[in-house]
Amino acid sequence: MIRDLFMSIRPTAIDESRSALPMFRFKFLREWNQRPPSLLASSYVLVSILIVLSYFIAGKLGLALAVVHPSATAVWPPSGIALAALLLLGRRMWPAIFLGAFLVNLNTAGTVLTSLSIASGNTLEGVLGAFLIARYADGLKVFQHPRAVFRYIFLAGLLSTSVSATIGAATLVGSGLAMPA
């Protein structure tokens, strides 16, 4: 089962006329989006675990760059992981993003409540970014047209990330873990 999952990740040739989703160059992604697995299917669980681990590792690397506060950094690589996972695999992957964000924040300064709040902001950032890109920036075809690229920069780079930053900073200040500037 797991071997089949990894074997299906190899790129395959696509006949544009027969494929329902020609933008997917990988058989795994094409099949995932045509027939999504149930939430308890082993492939969904395995992919969710991989997303949680990727998010956690990238989060710890990002927090290693924190200077002012252990929970606040200017560089947050998990945002890209969340956005890619939600765009490629669908918005139903949000629980994996939430769990990864919660574990990263729980492992740093703070309480369970502050970790839940910051994880909610991180998850909302990814979900909002994926929704806005799918709705207003041509979705997965975003890099095929210059106008869509500029929409992507604005929607994913500025708008959705400000949601997470606002929620995270408000949580840290509200809980007394950080002093207002």
Side-chain angles (χ1 to χ4, degrees):
M1 168 63 183
I2 293 175
R3 181 180 173 275
D4 294 336
L5 177 67
F6 286 110
M7 293 303 290
S8 68
I9 294 178
R10 290 183 308 196
T12 59
I14 294 178
D15 179 5
E16 297 281 340
S17 63
R18 291 188 304 146
S19 175
L21 299 170
M23 77 275 300
F24 290 120
R25 301 282 185 234
F26 297 103
K27 181 181 176 187
F28 169 74
L29 292 174
R30 197 170 51 247
E31 289 177 358
W32 182 284
N33 284 287
Q34 286 174 345
R35 290 185 316 267
S38 69
L39 295 179
L40 297 178
S42 60
S43 60
Y44 179 83
V45 172
L46 178 64
V47 169
S48 295
I49 290 170
L50 290 174
I51 291 172
V52 169
L53 287 174
S54 300
Y55 196 99
F56 182 81
I57 292 168
K60 290 314 255 179
L61 290 173
L63 288 173
L65 301 172
V67 177
V68 177
H69 191 275
S71 292
T73 180
V75 179
W76 191 242
S79 293
I81 292 172
L83 189 60
L86 294 168
L87 281 172
L88 291 173
L89 301 172
R91 287 186 292 247
R92 61 196 220 114
M93 296 307 295
W94 72 265
I97 303 300
F98 180 81
L99 182 59
F102 175 73
L103 293 174
V104 167
N105 289 298
L106 187 63
N107 204 312
T108 59
T111 64
V112 172
L113 189 58
T114 59
S115 297
L116 285 171
S117 179
I118 294 171
S120 297
N122 292 138
T123 305
L124 183 59
E125 170 192 359
V127 171
L128 180 64
F131 170 76
L132 291 173
I133 290 168
R135 178 80 167 99
Y136 298 108
D138 296 334
L140 294 175
K141 297 179 183 179
V142 67
F143 297 112
Q144 293 179 0
H145 304 289
R147 181 176 281 161
V149 172
F150 287 111
R151 287 182 192 154
Y152 171 83
I153 291 169
F154 175 73
L155 296 172
L158 298 173
L159 188 63
S160 69
T161 55
S162 65
V163 170
S164 177
T166 302
I167 292 173
T171 299
L172 291 173
V173 170
S175 65
L177 293 173
M179 299 304 294

